[in-house]
Amino acid sequence: MLEITRESIEKATAKARIAKPLVKVIEFRRYSVTNRETGATYEVRFTKIGNQKFGECTCPATKICYHISSCLPINAVLASQMIQTA
Ligand SMILES: [Zn+2]
């Protein structure tokens, strides 16, 4: 698991804006991310421990990758909806 901080996702977010991968929701905090050019699909999961957020991806990257950063906006929207309905 990799900790998600503003610093750690900065580069990945820039890459996600260029790559624009296809993100599908599997369930809350679990997403499938597909590279539109290669068709490669990876699974991203998020975990929250206290105030720290963590992400993991099935791709070979050892840092926060653009798959993780691509899912963050969707995860934030789903999280806000969960709070409203709870
Ligand atoms: Zn990845």
Side-chain angles (χ1 to χ4, degrees), residues 15-34:
K15 195 175 174 187
R17 278 201 201 106
I18 298 162
K20 291 189 181 70
L22 183 69
V23 179
K24 281 188 205 160
V25 180
I26 299 169
E27 59 184 35
F28 180 50
R29 291 183 176 161
R30 214 174 135 209
Y31 306 93
S32 150
V33 183
T34 304

Side-chain angles (χ1 to χ4, degrees), residues 33 42-44 56-61 63-69:
V33 183
Y42 302 102
E43 195 176 311
V44 171
E56 52 189 319
C57 179
T58 54
C59 83
K63 291 180 185 169
I64 298 277
C65 59
Y66 76 94
H67 308 114
I68 291 176
S69 66

Side-chain angles (χ1 to χ4, degrees), residues 31-86:
Y31 306 93
S32 150
V33 183
T34 304
N35 180 310
R36 290 180 199 270
E37 278 177 28
T38 65
T41 301
Y42 302 102
E43 195 176 311
V44 171
R45 284 169 188 260
F46 293 114
T47 311
K48 208 174 172 188
I49 301 167
N51 285 324
Q52 289 172 293
K53 281 189 216 163
F54 297 89
E56 52 189 319
C57 179
T58 54
C59 83
T62 52
K63 291 180 185 169
I64 298 277
C65 59
Y66 76 94
H67 308 114
I68 291 176
S69 66
S70 301
C71 299
L72 281 171
I74 296 166
N75 195 64
V77 169
L78 292 180
S80 68
Q81 288 175 351
M82 307 264 297
I83 291 161
Q84 281 164 18
T85 53

